[in-house]
Amino acid sequence: MLLYDAALYADAPRAVAWYAAVPQSLIVFIGICEVLGGVGLILPAMAKVKPALTPLAGAGLTLTMILAAGFHIVRGEYALVPANLLLGGASAFITAGRWKLRPVAPAPLTTARVLWPFAVLVAVVLLTFVPTWYTMTNVQF
């Protein structure tokens, strides 16, 4: 998702070889979909606001990981496939669990129910995006 910048995209294939085979707009689109899918796995169920979105986000991430595994198999990048299968399996597990086995019931919206997921989202941004952005903009590959 952070490869929207042309300079970052130009340097990216030195760090990750398959970036050279994919257009910049597709990489950004995939990144946005994965981030929104991850947020969709956590926040709706945690806030109990539209919790039916959680299994949908899981299904979308499962599909993304299946397609990613296929992409890497076609390119002969077999070392990257186990990560795709692990992440796809985890999101499929969450999808199945939240769809039928242990669905989360919606609850009335309260201030605490909004602030807690917002705090988690801020922590994810600070612990994931900020270090990744710093690495991408300040480290030479």
Side-chain angles (χ1 to χ4, degrees):
M1 186 169 120
L2 298 172
L3 292 179
Y4 64 87
D5 182 64
L8 291 176
Y9 176 72
D11 287 340
R14 287 188 282 176
V16 180
W18 66 266
Y19 284 171
V22 179
Q24 179 181 9
S25 57
L26 182 58
I27 291 174
V28 172
F29 175 74
I30 291 168
I32 290 169
C33 289
E34 288 179 350
V35 168
L36 292 177
V39 168
L41 277 180
I42 298 168
L43 294 186
M46 179 185 271
K48 295 184 180 175
V49 176
K50 301 282 184 188
L53 294 176
T54 296
L56 294 176
L61 284 174
T62 301
L63 177 62
T64 301
M65 290 299 112
I66 290 169
L67 294 173
F71 172 79
H72 292 305
I73 289 169
V74 167
R75 288 183 41 87
E77 299 168 334
Y78 302 111
L80 299 174
V81 174
N84 296 133
L85 296 177
L86 179 68
L87 293 170
S91 59
F93 179 78
I94 293 169
T95 300
R98 291 299 179 203
W99 203 296
K100 293 286 183 190
L101 301 175
R102 303 262 330 229
V104 176
L109 190 61
T110 63
T111 303
R113 201 165 272 126
V114 171
L115 290 179
W116 176 241
F118 182 72
V120 169
L121 186 59
V122 168
V124 167
V125 168
L126 290 176
L127 295 172
T128 305
F129 288 107
V130 172
T132 302
W133 172 81
Y134 179 80
T135 301
M136 291 176 66
T137 57
N138 293 305
V139 175
Q140 296 297 322
F141 295 103

